[in-house]
Amino acid sequence: MGWGNRRLNEAAAVCAMQFPAIGLAWWIGDQLGDDYAYGGAYGAFALFALACLLAVAPLVLPVLGLGHAVLQVLPAEALAREAARRTRGPVWAWHLGLAAVLGVLWAGLALLLWDWPFTVTAPLFAVLGVLPVLGLGWLRRRTRGFWGVWLPALFASVGLFLLVFLGGVLATVTGILEEYEPPKLSAAQLTGVWRGEKGAVLRLGTGGRAELTALPAEAVPGSVDPYADPPFEVCDGTGTWRLDAKGGYDPYADGPGGRPGVVVRLDERCGQETYWRIGGTETAPELFVPFGDPDAPEVRILTRD
């Protein structure tokens, strides 16, 4: 498309500058979600992963920036120039609009290939084009050369990162961002079909009856090594279930009351009583069990049909 090395360099720089702030925003949001019984170790691991990403950022960010530029920002610019030539409208306005359109198209492709949630990825991918488009307009008027491009991008990246950090701290202190709490579900809301990985199905019926297909269950003592892979038994059959709204049966509880969950007992001699904790949100509830080593559990999650 005749972009040239200079334009590729500029586009890669303005695209790369926003990724550290995006990574920090993702980490903040992740800390406000369910830790699936990992507790403090989960947050420490996430913080360590973020630190590692920042350490290798000088190597990774240019590659991410170039990829983003080639897939969204530069094609949108080429289309914008053609649209502006035909309509005599401002190139920057066309560039912003077409970058958003390309972002939505990539979100549609992600939905088809990987089943990513379109309602989340479409606005996110569309917004990812805003700062690069504005940054390219600024660079076109003011800078020249390699360092004349990457130094302003570096300063802008640090500024965005600090802005997100301070915003996260302020939102937490003022209570705008609150600590995660699991949804409160009734027995009627829990009744239905729940599915997990590798064909796991849990049908919670009315009257407290349950049907299990390839469902993980707490292993009978001595039958499975708690440090084995996997540290649970896979069971088929029928059983019973009941809601434990106060978490009295929660084996991971630190005190007398744990997280609300579902107690599932099997009729057959496969596995023990298993406590499925309630997680997710009111609109997208989950059931999960952390199996094995409490310090590094293997978590299995079920979602509603």
Side-chain angles (χ1 to χ4, degrees), residues 11-38:
V14 296
C15 288
M17 71 177 182
Q18 60 185 341
F19 283 110
I22 292 172
L24 178 61
W26 167 83
W27 180 78
I28 292 173
D30 197 53
Q31 298 309 295
L32 299 173
D34 200 341
D35 63 7
Y36 295 111
Y38 280 90

Side-chain angles (χ1 to χ4, degrees), residues 86-176:
R86 293 177 179 274
T87 64
R88 297 184 179 180
V91 175
W92 68 268
W94 278 106
H95 196 180
L96 277 176
L98 289 169
V101 170
L102 281 179
V104 172
L105 291 177
W106 281 117
L109 183 61
L111 172 66
L112 293 175
L113 295 180
W114 304 296
D115 199 29
W116 290 6
F118 183 79
T119 54
V120 175
T121 56
L124 175 61
F125 287 4
V127 169
L128 283 177
V130 173
L131 285 180
V133 170
L134 298 178
L136 280 175
W138 187 88
L139 286 172
R140 186 183 297 112
R141 296 191 299 270
R142 289 175 173 79
T143 60
R144 292 293 184 273
F146 179 86
W147 291 111
V149 170
W150 281 95
L151 279 180
L154 174 63
F155 294 142
S157 182
V158 173
L160 282 173
F161 187 89
L162 293 176
L163 185 63
V164 171
F165 176 79
L166 293 175
V169 171
L170 183 62
T172 302
V173 171
T174 56
I176 297 175

Side-chain angles (χ1 to χ4, degrees), residues 256-270:
R259 177 185 289 208
V262 174
V263 181
V264 178
R265 296 187 177 98
L266 286 77
D267 294 334
E268 307 296 331
R269 295 182 60 82
C270 177

